[in-house]
Amino acid sequence: MSYCVNCGVELDDSAKKCALCSTPVVNLNALIPPEEAVPPFPTRVVIPAEVRRRYGAFIASMVFLIPNIVCLVINLMFNFGYLWATYINATSALVWLLLVFPFLFKNPKSYIIVPIDALGVFLYTAVFYAVEHGHGWLFELALPLILVVAAFAFSVAEWIKHKKLDWPILITSLLLQTAVASFGIELIFRYYYELSLLPVVSIIIAACCLALVAFFLSVLKNKRLRAWLSRKFFI
Amino acid sequence: MPKQKQWFKLDNAATVFPGQNTSRWSNIFRFSVMLTEKIDPAILEQALADVMPRFPCYDVRIRNGLFWHYFEKNPNGIPEIQPDIVNPCHRVKFKENRGYLFRIYYYENRISGDFYHALTDGLGACYFVCTLAAQYLRLCGHNISVGGNVLDITFPATPEELDDPYKKCGLSKGKVSRRISSVYHAKGTKAPKHMVNITRGIVSLDDVRALAKSYGATVTEFIGALLLFVHYEKQKEEKRKQKKVCVQIPVSLRKTFGIHTLRNFSLYYLLDIDPMLGEYTFEEVLRHIIFSLRDINNEKTLRAMNTANLKLANSPFMRVMPLVVKDLAIGIASLFTGEKATTVLFTNLGKIDLPEDMLEFVDCVEVMAGPGRLNAVRCGGCGVKDKFIIDFANIFEESDIEKRFFTVLVKMGAHVKIESNRR
């Protein structure tokens, strides 16, 4: 029988250190060496099987696929002069890509998902561009906008991934990214509509973001304010 | 034996548990009996087969109705007897384990049962595992009588044991409003997914009783207050905004309402201290717990609490809500209530009543409250003969709460033996 010299509790014969304070057990007079004593708990570990997300995603894909095929077949059989099923098929494909596709991966990575999603959104707009016979907006407006939004989404996903990040720093970074993205979006619109390139709306957005950034940076330093915020806005 | 009932409604407390179930966590707890001899799994399997017909409310699997979950008789034989694991009380999935909602393990001289809370509460599990251990001893050639927590397996279960006991308590005209406030939760390094750190403290029941008595308290009040005090001290050292510290103490209603049931029949009290009111000594915390618990622990309050729960479950709106929506709503609601309002849980089954002729073959018993999601530790206590076991299930790697708790006991003069699955 051994006792912890730090906590004063008796330890079981198999213990090599105290379970409470990790003080090593040194007992030269122990009747049974710790290696030979039967431990109070087994070593067998059972980790329950994971939920099969990919299986669920596969089922959801089938649910998406069946009505789309039905629509397409009906459209081909009863063609009233145009392919109305294109709208349904394209929209379903986009919804599937955004909501179901990531779950087919065991560990979805933002550098794979975001470019594929961006490509999907571009193709979706391209379909409508082709059907509606657009006049140049696809490459001059839609594509740059999609690229800016994708870059913003990628950047946000990468920041959020850091779970250990302090929440005021995370919010600050998100606000700064929002400000930068708003500048990009406004410049694209202004260029397309041939307006002056001097930003107006994005300056207002950036000013609001910077004011909030200043507030959250002050939260970082003020422990009492931070505790009050945590208490008031806990989820 | 009469034909077994083919399906059961979930009791009023159990209705919330399936909605709270996630792929990471289930509301599950463990009851174990340590015998004086090594367990033979073949005999244990036979004992389980003998005992199962006596407990038809556990011989079930859970199914989905349109509006509610329900239990139906499990056609898949008996649950598999498994060698014990180092991470008990991991989550339940309804289609695993042959559909059973409890798992039976053995290790050296220990028989353990992990029970999903929808099935029963701590005392129900205690009846089952003690009866199983008694039957195991009988098959080993010992003469074990029935009585106390060992039920007679030659008689069928009575309707009283199987019915929803909450509906038999009667309704109160008044309501007890349960306030939910944000309380302190200890922080630490999380153990890997599905793992839990267990620390078992074995103390003399007489020592603990004498200590509690020296303060004019019961064992539940004493340990509940000590847990509260340990968390209060820990929060104070963290030098943060001081939140309330709250201990949740479940209480069995069986004695209060004279209903002998094998299903869930417990409610809980939330007892807290507010550090913003000033500094507390252990004696002050204990006095606060004693007065609060004795003030509210009475039949009228319990009936009013039960009435509030019954009225919520029986409201026409809740009844017609489809099960999918109901489960979703319960899942979301449990994130904002449940453990949010408690810092620590302490469940005390007290001294387990076993037949005299069984006691010589039983070393000790233990109850382990399953790990929480926000509660750093959950604590269970029960004893037999002179051994009282206090079990901590900790979701964090750090053992500072257990250390503070047991060193206080040692300083008060109690002899404590520690066993743990931490290596």
Side-chain angles (χ1 to χ4, degrees), chain A residues 3 6-7 9-10 12 14 17 19-20 38-42 44-46 48-51 227 231 234-235, chain B residues 23 83-87 90-91 107-108 110 182 193-194 200 241 340 399 415-421 423:
Chain A
Y3 282 81
N6 188 33
C7 309
V9 295
E10 187 189 334
D12 75 276
S14 68
K17 61 178 184 179
L20 302 181
V38 179
F41 289 89
R44 181 174 170 250
V45 181
V46 170
E50 291 293 316
V51 174
R231 197 167 71 247
F234 80 93
I235 297 177
Chain B
S23 62
D84 203 2
I85 53 175
V86 74
N87 57 327
H90 59 74
R91 65 114 175 89
Y107 175 71
E108 294 293 323
R110 184 169 70 221
S182 171
K193 198 173 167 185
H194 301 302
R200 180 193 293 158
K241 169 80 180 172
K340 273 280 178 201
S399 56
H415 177 270
V416 181
K417 184 180 179 185
I418 294 294
E419 294 178 348
S420 175
N421 67 348
R423 289 284 122 195

Side-chain angles (χ1 to χ4, degrees), chain B residues 212-275:
Chain B
K213 205 173 175 185
S214 67
Y215 289 98
T218 63
V219 173
T220 306
E221 290 160 355
F222 177 74
I223 295 178
L226 189 50
L227 280 170
L228 207 56
F229 183 68
V230 161
H231 281 84
Y232 160 75
E233 290 272 289
K234 184 174 159 61
Q235 182 184 214
K236 202 164 74 177
E237 282 172 20
E238 285 174 13
K239 297 200 185 308
R240 45 168 287 164
K241 169 80 180 172
Q242 300 290 296
K243 285 183 172 183
K244 281 182 181 178
V245 185
C246 177
V247 60
Q248 180 182 352
I249 299 181
V251 52
S252 172
L253 309 184
R254 287 171 179 80
K255 271 188 188 167
T256 312
F257 293 99
I259 297 171
H260 175 68
T261 179
L262 296 173
R263 305 181 69 183
N264 279 305
F265 198 32
S266 50
L267 290 170
Y268 62 84
Y269 293 122
L270 296 176
L271 306 171
D272 58 27
I273 54 168
D274 189 352

